[in-house]
């Protein structure tokens, strides 16, 4: 954590099926806005998930579904193109979201 500040840090697991890596990130470039910009720029070839944590507040969370939803909404609103790996990431989490919706009988 830079300067011991209380901040949320976002790290991306890139690659799947045995080739997973935590993408390197400069200490000051692990904020949400930078990670989102990196998705749009194509920095991640096959993003699998995004984990956020805050050491000062003692929490960690898989925020992949939230990130996928935000990227999908922003791309639709701004007509921005997404790299193929990012499209796959969004589709995976959109499908998981659809499956988790409980339908009335």
């Amino acid at each position: 954590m830079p300067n011991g500040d209380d901040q949320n840090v976002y790290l991306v697991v890139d690659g799947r099926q045995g080739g997973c890596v935590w993408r390197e990130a400069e200490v000051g470039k692990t904020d949400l806005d930078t990670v989102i910009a990196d998705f749009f720029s194509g920095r991640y070839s096959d993003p699998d998930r995004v984990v956020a944590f805050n050491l000062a507040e003692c929490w960690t969370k898989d925020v992949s579904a939230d990130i996928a939803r935000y990227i999908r909404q922003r791309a639709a609103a701004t007509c921005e193109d997404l790299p193929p790996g990012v499209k796959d990431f969004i589709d995976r989490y959109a499908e998981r979201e659809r499956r988790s919706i409980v339908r009335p009988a």
Side-chain angles (χ1 to χ4, degrees):
M1 303 280 295
N3 305 321
D5 292 339
D6 178 11
Q7 69 181 44
N8 298 345
V9 174
Y10 296 83
L11 296 176
V12 177
V13 176
D14 201 13
R16 288 180 287 148
Q17 300 168 346
C20 293
V21 297
W22 291 103
R23 274 294 157 215
E24 284 188 34
E26 292 180 37
V27 172
K29 295 185 178 182
T30 56
D31 60 284
L32 181 59
D33 292 334
T34 301
V35 169
I36 295 294
D38 288 346
F39 268 93
F40 278 92
S41 73
R43 178 164 193 247
Y44 311 115
S45 60
D46 190 16
D48 185 50
R49 67 181 170 270
V50 182
V51 175
F53 63 90
N54 185 308
L55 294 177
E57 296 177 7
C58 298
W59 63 263
T60 185
K61 181 180 179 189
D62 183 335
V63 293
S64 305
D66 297 331
I67 298 292
R69 188 178 318 105
Y70 177 79
I71 291 170
R72 183 179 65 239
Q73 292 169 346
R74 178 176 145 182
T78 62
C79 298
E80 288 180 75
D81 290 328
L82 295 171
V86 175
K87 288 179 186 176
D88 293 343
F89 173 79
I90 291 170
D91 291 345
R92 264 193 328 275
Y93 283 95
E95 179 60 28
R96 289 177 188 174
E97 207 171 327
R98 280 191 290 276
R99 285 187 301 202
S100 70
I101 296 173
V102 177
R103 305 218 189 278

